[in-house]
Amino acid sequence: GSFHSVLYEGREGNREEGREKRLSVISIAPHSFSVGMFSWFPLFFPLKEPLRVPPGATVNCSIWRRSDDGRVWYEWCAEVVTIADHTRETMAGGEATTIVWGTSSIHNPGGRSYHVNK
């Protein structure tokens, strides 16, 4: 298998020049291979409760690397969302409405279930 992830999107240049979209990507996929990236170790981030994902919805996962003086751990959560395409706001030039179908709790807070000593 392979792994490809857009870590964030940014903009380069100034307003007079027009800004170009810049992606920060980490990948072992052949079409977007990151130089020096030879492996992606498998990770498993379980959810306590299942989330219902309707057709066309997106699952957004947030993962934080946390630490204190002696430990390192990860915390994570997930949410299921869809974007409403034809709302009054978008027709008037505003932002699209995001519909949140479900969210998980934050898992492993404070490294209570799993952590690694520094």
Side-chain angles (χ1 to χ4, degrees), residues 51-67:
L51 291 173
R52 181 179 169 274
V53 182
T58 299
V59 177
N60 293 324
C61 297
S62 298
I63 303 169
W64 302 273
R65 182 181 188 272
R66 311 286 294 213
S67 65

Side-chain angles (χ1 to χ4, degrees), residues 40-116:
W40 187 264
F41 296 101
L43 295 173
F44 178 64
F45 291 97
L47 298 177
K48 290 178 192 174
E49 299 291 330
L51 291 173
R52 181 179 169 274
V53 182
T58 299
V59 177
N60 293 324
C61 297
S62 298
I63 303 169
W64 302 273
R65 182 181 188 272
R66 311 286 294 213
S67 65
D68 60 20
D69 290 340
R71 306 173 309 140
V72 176
W73 68 92
Y74 290 91
E75 297 177 6
W76 63 93
C77 67
E79 68 177 354
V80 178
V81 300
T82 55
I83 305 298
D85 291 330
H86 302 290
T87 62
R88 288 186 188 147
E89 293 83 13
T90 57
M91 296 172 86
E95 293 185 18
T97 301
T98 301
I99 300 168
V100 178
W101 292 90
T103 59
S104 74
S105 60
I106 294 178
H107 291 69
N108 198 38
R112 75 172 178 210
S113 299
Y114 183 77
H115 64 269
V116 176

